[in-house]
Amino acid sequence: PALGLFLFTIARDPLRIIILIAGAFFWLVSLLLSSLIWFIAVKASDPQDEPLQKGLLIFGVMFSVLLQEAFRFLYYKLLRKAIEGLVALSEDGCSPISIQQMAYVAGVGFGLMSGAFSMINLLADSLGPGTVGIHGDSQLYFLTSAFMTMVLIFLHTFWGIVFFHGCEHQRWWEIAAVVIMHLAVSGSTFCNPLYVGSLVPSYLMMATAAAWAYMLSGGSAQNLRRFLLCK
């Protein structure tokens, strides 16, 4: 699905490709910074203290989420400046791409980079050593991880639309809602290996974010009905 989004909605437009790559770069920088902070914290702590190490892991995840959203805000500011430059350079005084389109493409960029790193970790684990489920654990690790990766890609796409809309119209509660949902989805992964505890809430939030982003983008129930009925 993520590849389809790229091929059918982004790949044919060079400007959108640039925005997507820049968005992926912003996400990557946020990951590197949060990883550095977590690495320093782990090295400075007692590795034998299991409760402390678990607390540091939770801290690392939550800090990473907040840093990602901070970089999303910085990216919005950058794109806002870019639109002003495009308007100044255009002959008709109009930008070749709207802020809503930028929000979508930036969200896809965040999601694709997030999904790429998730898949890299999965592929690294699949090489061994060991066999998944050999000690009685769930053998659905790779399947559920793939579904979780997909939902995160879509969530980043929808979050980007809602987040940019909140910034554009100064609706700070929309920005706060995106941050809370991101924290909730990331926090739900601590329910693993009880995968129902992470997948079900994540997909419910994805459906909510998708409907929200659709409405903010100008969609309506009538348009959706016409699309489904191919009218």
Side-chain angles (χ1 to χ4, degrees):
L3 181 61
L5 289 178
F6 173 76
L7 291 177
F8 292 110
T9 64
I10 297 174
R12 297 180 181 179
D13 190 330
L15 182 58
R16 294 186 183 186
I17 294 177
I18 293 172
I19 295 172
L20 181 139
I21 294 174
F25 174 76
F26 267 71
W27 185 92
L28 181 60
V29 173
S30 72
L31 177 67
L32 291 175
L33 290 178
S34 58
S35 300
L36 179 62
I37 297 299
W38 178 78
F39 178 78
I40 294 174
V42 169
K43 288 299 182 180
S45 62
D46 182 8
Q48 304 301 323
D49 191 343
E50 292 187 5
L52 176 60
Q53 294 301 315
K54 185 176 181 180
L56 287 175
L57 179 60
I58 295 174
F59 162 77
V61 171
M62 299 300 112
F63 180 77
S64 176
V65 168
L66 295 176
L67 199 59
Q68 286 177 46
E69 297 306 328
F71 269 79
R72 199 192 302 271
F73 179 74
L74 292 176
Y75 192 40
Y76 162 77
K77 288 293 187 180
L78 178 65
L79 291 178
R80 197 5 106 188
K81 291 292 184 182
I83 286 181
E84 295 174 2
L86 290 172
V87 170
L89 292 174
S90 64
E91 296 180 355
D92 56 359
C94 298
S95 172
I97 185 170
S98 66
I99 191 66
Q100 292 88 354
Q101 293 172 331
M102 283 186 170
Y104 164 75
V105 177
V108 175
F110 269 62
L112 286 178
M113 184 57 71
S114 172
F117 266 79
S118 297
M119 291 306 298
I120 289 173
N121 291 333
L122 286 176
L123 293 175
D125 290 339
S126 67
L127 296 177
T131 302
V132 175
I134 194 171
H135 294 297
D137 297 323
S138 174
Q139 298 184 1
L140 301 177
Y141 169 71
F142 292 113
L143 181 62
T144 53
S145 296
F147 276 104
M148 196 67 189
T149 298
M150 182 177 71
V151 76
L152 281 173
I153 294 174
F154 281 123
L155 277 171
H156 272 293
T157 303
F158 303 141
W159 286 338
I161 296 172
V162 176
F163 192 97
F164 277 42
H165 184 272
C167 293
E168 190 72 8
H169 298 277
Q170 296 185 349
R171 296 181 179 179
W172 307 116
W173 61 272
E174 291 182 347
I175 298 174
V178 170
V179 175
I180 292 172
M181 281 192 291
H182 199 168
L183 288 170
V185 170
S186 298
S188 69
T189 59
F190 290 108
C191 295
N192 295 338
L194 182 62
Y195 297 115
V196 175
S198 60
L199 284 176
V200 173
S202 297
Y203 272 85
L204 289 175
M205 277 187 273
M206 184 191 72
T208 302
W212 193 356
Y214 176 72
M215 298 303 293
L216 292 179
S217 300
S220 64
Q222 184 178 6
N223 291 339
L224 181 61
R225 190 182 307 111
R226 288 177 177 175
F227 169 75
L228 295 175
L229 296 176
C230 299
K231 291 185 178 181

